[in-house]
């Protein structure tokens, strides 16, 4: 009788929007939470991105070929051929029609998502590291690496609605950063840019003046990844100093710290629950000397507020380099040094975690 009464209570415990989401998962998948394995790259993954609807998934790797998948079942749609170097980051417009990539081959390319055709290439003198589209997709920020005595820079470029009118004119460039800039994000209302990189400093740039409004040195080592919340009020950073930290996106005040026992390469925020997922593992150079368990290659889920670890999700045979949450909060994808991407659909028990 006790078990029966508990079963009756469950629907009251679960918040209704998440209850609907969990019912969307196939029963077999919800019961076992078996990941969908995506094998489309020959080299380590570098970045993963979902489109706004969460039905398309882009994976990037050091093998030059960004790849598009269907997010629900992992079907491979196709690859984007044109880069001659590792592809580091990408972004996609709100309507999913255009997709931009930043590559070590010194270019930032603009693609037609559906046809796979590259319709414009922004050519730089230095390797290109990070790219981010503004809200409304009218501008994009591109970062270039320090190279041959030229310092790292952030470039703001206009994105034209008419593709035939697209130019490579740079509206403004910001410099003054030591080392690479690994990530750039547009802040609320496109008034600021948030950057993090090799020097471990997170900076808030004024887009109009190019001046640094604020900076924080909370991290002691290189920053690998930045991820904004869906409402852009806060963001999480991942660093090689074995921590991820939660910051206010207008003041850069550090609000939470999530301590891990391995260098953190990626950290993402759940769009529906107060959870943070961290991924990393020891340096890729040392991977051959350890087993997959002692190498700490699992993704860890933390409470956003309490900073406590909830659980871990195993699977990769090397460090996790990239993570992305589906915008519906029902699944996330991890990409590893082992060349695999894994789509993890959460089971219904996950949504009952309080």
């Amino acid at each position: 009788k006790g078990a029966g009464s508990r079963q009756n209570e469950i629907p009251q415990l679960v918040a209704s929007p998440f209850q609907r989401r969990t019912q969307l998962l196939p029963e077999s998948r919800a019961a076992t939470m078996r990941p969908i394995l995506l094998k489309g790259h020959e080299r380590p993954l570098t970045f993963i991105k979902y489109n706004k609807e969460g039905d398309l998934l882009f994976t990037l790797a050091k093998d030059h070929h960004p790849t598009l998948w269907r997010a629900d079942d992992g079907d491979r749609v196709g690859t984007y051929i044109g880069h001659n170097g590792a592809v580091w980051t990408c972004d996609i417009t709100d309507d999913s029609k255009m997709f931009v990539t930043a590559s070590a081959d010194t270019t930032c390319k603009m693609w037609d998502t559906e046809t796979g055709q590259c319709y414009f290439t922004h050519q730089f003198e230095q390797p290109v590291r990070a790219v981010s589209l503004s809200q409304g997709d009218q501008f994009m920020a591109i970062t270039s690496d320090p190279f041959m005595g030229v310092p790292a820079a952030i470039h703001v470029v206009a994105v034209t609605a008419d593709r035939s009118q697209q130019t490579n004119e740079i509206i403004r460039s910001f410099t003054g950063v030591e080392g690479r800039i690994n990530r750039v994000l547009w802040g609320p209302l496109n008034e600021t840019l948030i950057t993090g990189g090799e020097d471990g400093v997170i900076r808030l740039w004024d887009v109009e003046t190019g001046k640094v409004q604020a900076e924080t040195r909370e991290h002691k080592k290189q920053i690998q990844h930045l991820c904004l919340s869906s409402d852009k009020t806060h963001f999480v950073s991942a660093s090689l100093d074995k921590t991820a930290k939660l910051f206010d996106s207008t003041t850069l005040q550090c609000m939470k710290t999530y301590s891990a026992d391995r260098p953190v390469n990626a950290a993402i925020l759940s769009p529906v629950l107060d959870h943070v997922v961290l991924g990393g593992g020891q340096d890729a150079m040392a991977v051959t000397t350890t087993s997959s368990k002692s190498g700490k290659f699992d993704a860890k889920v933390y409470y956003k507020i309490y900073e406590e670890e909830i659980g871990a999700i195993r699977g990769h045979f090397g460090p996790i380099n990239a993570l992305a949450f589906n915008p519906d909060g029902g699944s996330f994808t991890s990409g590893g040094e082992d060349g695999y991407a894994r789509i993890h659909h959460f089971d219904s028990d996950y949504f009952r975690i309080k």
Side-chain angles (χ1 to χ4, degrees):
K1 185 185 172 188
S5 62
R6 274 202 301 277
Q7 282 177 344
N8 294 337
E9 286 170 16
I10 285 172
Q12 290 140 21
L13 286 170
V14 181
S16 57
F18 310 138
Q19 193 178 343
R20 280 201 302 277
R21 284 196 174 92
T22 54
Q23 286 165 353
L24 292 174
L25 303 182
E27 282 180 22
S28 59
R29 195 184 295 161
T32 58
M33 203 171 152
R34 186 172 292 130
I36 300 171
L37 199 62
L38 309 182
K39 183 61 178 155
H41 295 285
E42 298 168 0
R43 300 281 315 281
L45 270 82
T46 54
F47 196 77
I48 296 171
K49 181 84 177 175
Y50 281 91
N51 68 337
K52 191 178 179 182
E53 281 76 29
D55 60 336
L56 298 178
L57 177 67
F58 297 86
T59 58
L60 312 183
K62 293 181 180 176
D63 65 1
H64 313 177
H65 302 316
T67 303
L68 175 62
W69 315 78
R70 295 196 193 283
D72 56 347
D73 55 9
D75 271 359
R76 184 169 169 174
V77 180
T79 52
Y80 297 84
I81 308 294
H83 280 298
N84 294 314
V87 189
W88 296 118
T89 53
C90 72
D91 206 352
I92 183 161
T93 54
D94 286 346
D95 63 7
S96 303
K97 289 182 178 175
M98 192 268 283
F99 158 66
V100 291
T101 52
S103 170
D105 66 6
T106 72
T107 66
C108 175
K109 289 185 181 287
M110 306 173 78
W111 309 82
D112 183 294
T113 309
E114 189 177 1
T115 64
Q117 177 193 359
C118 172
Y119 73 87
F120 196 84
T121 299
H122 296 274
Q123 181 70 52
F124 292 89
E125 300 293 316
Q126 302 83 29
V128 181
R129 179 72 48 169
V131 63
S132 178
L133 288 162
S134 65
Q135 285 171 280
D137 304 322
Q138 293 179 325
F139 301 96
M140 65 180 175
I142 305 165
T143 73
S144 55
D145 286 354
F147 189 68
M148 302 285 285
V150 180
I154 309 158
H155 312 283
V156 178
V157 178
V159 177
T160 58
D162 181 355
R163 294 180 181 181
S164 62
Q165 302 294 313
Q166 182 66 46
T167 68
N168 57 4
E169 182 189 353
I170 294 170
I171 299 171
R172 44 184 83 80
S173 293
F174 316 147
T175 54
V177 178
E178 294 289 323
R180 289 195 310 266
I181 301 169
N182 287 333
R183 293 290 182 268
V184 61
L185 302 172
W186 289 85
L189 303 173
N190 296 340
E191 291 171 352
T192 54
L193 288 169
I194 302 162
T195 61
E198 207 170 16
D199 59 1
V201 183
I202 296 174
R203 293 178 176 84
L204 189 71
W205 303 77
D206 185 305
V207 173
E208 289 298 319
T209 64
K211 292 193 170 72
V212 177
Q213 284 184 352
E215 60 179 49
T216 177
R217 298 175 185 270
E218 292 281 341
H219 283 295
K220 302 293 177 275
K221 288 187 179 175
Q222 175 170 318
I223 292 162
Q224 297 286 79
H225 188 67
L226 300 174
C227 172
L228 265 173
S229 63
S230 46
D231 61 2
K232 290 186 181 267
T233 56
H234 55 284
F235 65 92
V236 67
S237 60
S239 170
L240 296 183
D241 65 8
K242 301 186 179 179
T243 65
K245 291 176 184 282
L246 195 73
F247 292 93
D248 183 290
S249 55
T250 51
T251 64
L252 294 193
Q253 177 193 351
C254 180
M255 297 184 286
K256 301 287 175 187
T257 299
Y258 312 99
S259 298
D261 53 359
R262 82 288 305 268
V264 185
N265 291 332
I268 52 174
L269 297 165
S270 167
V272 293
L273 295 176
D274 284 330
H275 292 170
V276 181
V277 180
L278 273 56
Q282 78 212 81
D283 184 46
M285 302 274 279
V287 166
T288 50
T289 60
T290 53
S291 71
S292 61
K293 278 186 184 168
S294 61
K296 305 185 172 75
F297 307 139
D298 46 353
K300 289 194 176 294
V301 186
Y302 286 74
Y303 282 112
K304 188 196 282 187
I305 312 299
Y306 305 122
E307 306 176 358
E308 294 168 2
E309 187 183 323
I310 301 170
I313 298 161
R314 285 213 183 92
H316 286 282
F317 296 101
I320 294 174
N321 292 340
L323 290 169
F325 243 111
N326 191 309
D328 70 4
S331 60
F332 78 97
T333 301
S334 57
E337 191 76 18
D338 55 9
Y340 288 94
R342 289 168 175 264
I343 304 176
H344 306 269
H345 284 275
F346 289 116
D347 56 17
S348 52
D349 290 343
Y350 166 80
F351 295 97
R352 296 193 186 107
I353 298 171
K354 285 295 162 205

